[in-house]
Amino acid sequence: MNDKVIIVEGKTDKEQLMRVLDEPVSIICTYGTISFERLEELSEELEEMDVYVLVDADDAGEKLRRQLSREIPHAEHLYITMLHREVAETPLNYLTRILRAAKFKVMTI
């Protein structure tokens, strides 16, 4: 696993991020929910890593964000606007700005 990890909800979110990232980053998909056991494992695995959370701007995303905040308190949270709602539907130039602000290397779009 790389030093930087981004936790997203689904496969299409991961694919969207991979279109703009220009450095090796592990992207973990929760598929909307995550069991307590898996979350506990993840918190141990990610203890020494730079962890980022980027989830949809909806109720399910916020519920997951709260759960991850409790179990992985050192994670940095990245946000998309309510206008875009879904990470997978966020325009690449906007996603690039969010990632660049968090010090990720991104492709020029």
Side-chain angles (χ1 to χ4, degrees), residues 8-27:
V8 297
E9 290 178 80
K11 183 180 170 206
T12 55
D13 300 337
K14 178 179 180 173
E15 290 167 352
Q16 188 77 330
L17 288 175
M18 291 172 64
R19 294 173 68 190
V20 297
L21 286 167
D22 197 20
E23 67 176 295
V25 176
S26 295
I27 302 173

Side-chain angles (χ1 to χ4, degrees), residues 15-82:
E15 290 167 352
Q16 188 77 330
L17 288 175
M18 291 172 64
R19 294 173 68 190
V20 297
L21 286 167
D22 197 20
E23 67 176 295
V25 176
S26 295
I27 302 173
I28 297 171
C29 298
T30 66
Y31 300 104
T33 59
I34 189 164
S35 71
F36 178 76
E37 292 78 18
R38 178 64 181 132
L39 196 51
E40 209 167 75
E41 283 174 22
L42 262 182
S43 67
E44 290 174 20
E45 287 175 35
L46 303 176
E47 208 165 5
E48 302 299 318
M49 298 179 173
D50 294 329
V51 181
Y52 301 83
V53 175
L54 181 59
V55 295
D56 294 347
D58 60 13
D59 290 341
E62 288 307 311
K63 181 180 177 189
L64 179 59
R65 188 181 294 282
R66 285 191 301 274
Q67 187 180 17
L68 292 169
S69 291
R70 284 191 300 272
E71 298 300 324
I72 309 171
H74 72 282
E76 183 174 332
H77 291 262
L78 307 177
Y79 296 86
I80 59 170
T81 66
M82 290 294 286

